[in-house]
């Protein structure tokens, strides 16, 4: 009985499941084939007429089914247009020749649809802010970055963005108060990028009410005032805060320490002051950039030594010794403490930066548009997305003393080492040639002594070297890459140095140099005499030909000269013939006289 029920029930069940699945597939296919509404199709065609499309990216915008057009997505249920993606596909790519769209939409154009996603990055939307956007009330994603908009922020924009989740208006020239953009509560907001505009005003406290916020970049604007003090533990997704290159002032709020998931904190180039909160360095930060501010006091203790990869505290007023706890930051690849008031020695345990070892495993995380200024190769260079590929230590312009730790020579991946403007003594480590990847080395304005290690000539990638104003002595090493660095200013202020490229000859080389000079003078004179002889004989032939041709030309055109010349020649020939005959007769008589004897 059981086998009968089983054998009859199972096929029936399978058949029923098949029918249900077929119905679902048929229903879904029907929904996906929903065509857009006619009025919305006509609006899109009107939009296309106002576009300049040099690469013919919108050539698919023909026919009745506008939901299948490139860059257009519709609701599967209603057919309404929900997404308009016109962004330049070459954005951020090299060797890509597709031109961005030029969107010259009439100010009177009113779209009959409510778009949820508007993506127009690297298209020419400006210079005016698009007026048609004010009709959209359900926008969840708006990307008009690098869109050539140089306009005042419209007062109605914050009402359009009440349901926004992702907002990117970066790399434009927007003016006005930032509260017109993010001044109201936006509970769904996850990402905000207003980088590279001319926005002013204070950072709105409304950002503290966005519990879904994960990314915030307001850098390179004209923002002023203090940092918000209302950050909350409920903002558990916030990982990135970049507010650098503004006009912010005041102390760092302790409420930042509530952001337990924060990975990037960039506040460089502001007017922030006060001491660094102890709780701040206990976060699992990967990037900490507080450079170019007015912070004072000592560096507090670090919390998680495994997280930090980039630390920039340069150009502040920090004091005290460099904390030994830095040595536990095994993943550190960029450290800048330049232009502070640190004293004491360089920690000998800096060799614990194992990420800079030769056999370390490399991995590079994406830093997006994180920006920092690096002093390398004698100048300041702005690094953005390439900062993860830079290995650098900059301790310049402090009051550090003691010797250069030999442990630094274990950091073979180091590309930039700047210890200038300190009080370092002792010799340059003899195995400095181990830093095979080093491109810039600056040890100037210290009290270093001894000879320059010969191994420094093994630095094949070295393009900038500055050893000036120390107490170095002895011969300058030659060979390999070092031979191309022949600027005397590299070694200026070291009276004991000698050899190329300096004019000072090293002791013991003077005799060889003298002999070499004498031999060289002899060779130069012989070469000079030989050159004169060669030039003399080389010039005889052409000179004779030119003179002869000139003489013949004169005789050809001056008939009187020609007649006189040939008369003279005839007379000379006649006289020579007479002299010849007389001479021959004289020899003949003399010969006959000898025969008679």
């Amino acid at each position: 009985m059981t086998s009968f029920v089983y054998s009859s029930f199972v096929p029936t069940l399978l058949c029923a499941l098949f029918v249900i699945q077929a119905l679902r597939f048929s229903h879904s296919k029907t929904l996906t084939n929903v065509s857009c509404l006619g009025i919305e199709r006509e609006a899109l065609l009107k939009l296309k007429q106002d576009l300049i499309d040099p690469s013919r990216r919108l050539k698919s915008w023909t026919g009745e089914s506008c939901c299948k057009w490139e860059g257009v997505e519709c609701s599967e249920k209603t057919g309404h247009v929900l997404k308009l993606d016109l962004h330049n596909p070459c954005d951020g790519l090299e060797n890509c020749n597709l031109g961005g769209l030029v969107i010259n939409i009439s100010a009177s154009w009113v779209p009959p649809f409510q778009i949820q996603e508007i993506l127009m990055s690297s298209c020419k939307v400006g210079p005016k802010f698009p007026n048609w956007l004010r009709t959209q009330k359900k926008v969840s994603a708006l990307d008009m970055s690098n869109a050539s908009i140089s306009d005042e922020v419209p007062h109605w924009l914050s009402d359009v963005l009440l349901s926004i989740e992702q907002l990117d208006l970066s790399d434009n020239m927007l003016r006005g108060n930032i509260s017109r953009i993010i001044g109201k509560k936006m509970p769904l907001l996850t990402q905000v990028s207003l980088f590279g505009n001319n926005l002013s005003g204070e950072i709105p406290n409304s950002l503290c009410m966005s519990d879904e916020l994960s990314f915030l970049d307001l850098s390179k604007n004209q923002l002023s005032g203090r940092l918000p003090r209302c950050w909350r533990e409920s903002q558990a997704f916030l990982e990135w805060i970049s507010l650098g290159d503004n006009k912010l002032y005041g102390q760092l709020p302790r409420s930042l320490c509530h952001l337990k998931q924060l990975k990037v904190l960039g506040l460089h180039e502001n007017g922030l002051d006060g001491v660094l909160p102890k709780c701040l360095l206990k976060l699992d930060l990967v990037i900490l950039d507080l450079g170019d501010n007015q912070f004072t006091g000592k560096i507090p203790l670090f919390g998680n030594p495994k997280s930090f990869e980039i630390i920039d505290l340069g150009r502040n007023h920090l004091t005290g010794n460099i904390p030994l706890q830095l040595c536990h930051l095994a993943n550190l690849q960029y450290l800048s403490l330049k232009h502070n008031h640190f004293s004491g020695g360089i920690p000998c345990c800096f060799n614990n930066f194992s990420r800079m070892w030769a056999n370390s495993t490399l991995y590079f995380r994406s830093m997006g548009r994180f920006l920092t200024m690096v002093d390398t190769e004698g100048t300041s260079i702005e690094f953005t997305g390439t900062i993860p590929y830079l290995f650098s230590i900059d301790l310049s312009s402090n009051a550090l003393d003691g010797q250069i730790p030999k442990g630094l020579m274990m950091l073979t991946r180091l590309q930039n080492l700047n210890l200038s403007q300190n009080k370092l003594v002792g010799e340059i480590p003899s195995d400095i040639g181990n830093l095979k990847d080093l491109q810039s080395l600056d040890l100037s304005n210290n009290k270093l002594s001894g000879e320059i290690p010969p191994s420094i000539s093994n630095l094949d990638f070295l393009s900038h070297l500055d050893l000036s104003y120390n107490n170095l002595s002895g011969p300058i090493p030659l060979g390999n890459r070092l031979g191309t660095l022949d600027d005397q200013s590299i070694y200026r202020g070291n009276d004991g140095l000698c050899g190329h490229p300096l004019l000072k000859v090293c002791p013991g080389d003077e005799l060889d140099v003298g002999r070499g000079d004498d031999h060289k003078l002899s060779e130069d004179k012989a070469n000079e005499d030989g050159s004169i002889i060669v030039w003399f004989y080389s010039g005889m032939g052409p000179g004779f030909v030119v003179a002869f041709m000139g003489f013949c030309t004169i005789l050809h055109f001056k008939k009187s000269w020609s007649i006189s010349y040939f008369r003279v020649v005839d007379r000379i020939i006649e006289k020579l013939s007479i002299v010849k005959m007389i001479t021959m007769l004289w020899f003949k008589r003399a010969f006959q006289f000898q025969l008679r004897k």
Side-chain angles (χ1 to χ4, degrees), residues 2 94 469 543:
T2 303
E94 296 182 359
Y469 298 104

Side-chain angles (χ1 to χ4, degrees), residues 474-488:
I476 297 174
L478 297 176
N480 297 337
R481 182 66 176 173
L482 197 61
T484 64
L485 302 175
D486 54 358
D487 188 352
Q488 295 186 18

Side-chain angles (χ1 to χ4, degrees), residues 32-234:
T32 56
N33 287 332
V34 172
S35 60
C36 65
L37 303 180
I39 187 174
E40 297 185 0
R41 180 176 61 253
E42 294 300 322
L44 291 175
L45 291 175
K46 177 64 171 65
L47 171 64
K48 181 183 178 182
Q49 292 177 359
D50 293 334
L51 298 180
I52 299 177
D53 185 9
S55 302
R56 301 190 69 243
R57 289 172 45 207
L58 304 184
K59 60 184 178 181
S60 65
W61 282 34
T62 58
E64 298 293 327
S65 183
C66 65
C67 295
K68 295 181 179 179
W69 294 353
E70 181 180 353
V72 179
E73 291 186 15
C74 303
S75 170
E76 294 181 350
K77 295 182 178 180
T78 64
H80 287 295
V81 176
L82 298 180
K83 180 178 180 179
L84 189 58
D85 186 356
L86 302 179
H87 82 281
N88 188 351
C90 288
D91 190 16
L93 299 177
E94 296 182 359
N95 302 321
C96 186
N97 298 321
L98 291 178
L101 297 174
V102 179
I103 305 175
N104 296 322
I105 303 177
S106 172
S108 60
W109 183 67
V110 179
F113 37 70
Q114 290 293 316
I115 309 178
Q116 295 180 6
E117 297 182 49
I118 304 173
L119 309 179
M120 296 182 177
S121 62
S122 297
C123 294
K124 192 178 186 304
V125 178
K128 294 294 184 179
F129 205 92
N131 191 61
W132 61 268
L133 196 60
R134 68 187 305 174
T135 64
Q136 306 300 300
K137 304 300 182 183
K138 298 180 180 180
V139 180
S140 61
L142 175 61
D143 186 353
M144 289 187 177
S145 59
N146 189 29
S148 303
I149 303 176
S150 56
D151 194 12
E152 189 85 13
V153 178
H155 62 86
W156 44 261
L157 184 57
S158 59
D159 295 328
V160 173
L161 302 178
L162 291 177
S163 301
I164 197 73
E165 298 177 19
Q166 299 177 4
L167 175 62
D168 191 347
L169 298 175
S170 61
D171 282 321
N172 286 291
M173 295 292 288
L174 292 173
R175 307 182 304 273
N177 199 295
I178 194 173
S179 61
R180 290 187 174 184
I181 303 177
I182 53 175
K184 296 185 178 181
K185 184 178 179 180
M186 300 174 177
L188 304 178
L189 190 62
T190 61
Q191 298 181 17
V192 180
S193 181
L194 302 177
F195 163 93
N197 283 285
N198 285 321
L199 299 172
S200 57
E202 297 186 0
I203 299 175
N205 288 331
S206 59
L207 290 172
C208 299
M209 307 304 294
S210 301
D211 290 345
E212 303 296 323
L213 187 62
S214 63
F215 181 92
L216 177 63
D217 189 351
L218 308 180
S219 57
K220 299 195 78 169
N221 278 284
Q222 303 294 322
L223 303 178
S224 58
R226 299 179 182 272
L227 292 172
R229 300 179 177 273
C230 53
W231 307 105
R232 299 176 299 125
E233 291 185 9
S234 59

Side-chain angles (χ1 to χ4, degrees), residues 51 83 108 122 239 245 284 333 394 410 437 462 562 595:
L51 298 180
K83 180 178 180 179
S108 60
S122 297
E239 296 184 349
D245 200 355
D284 294 335
Q333 67 175 70
D394 191 344
M410 294 179 59
D437 293 338
L462 193 65
S562 176
L595 288 176

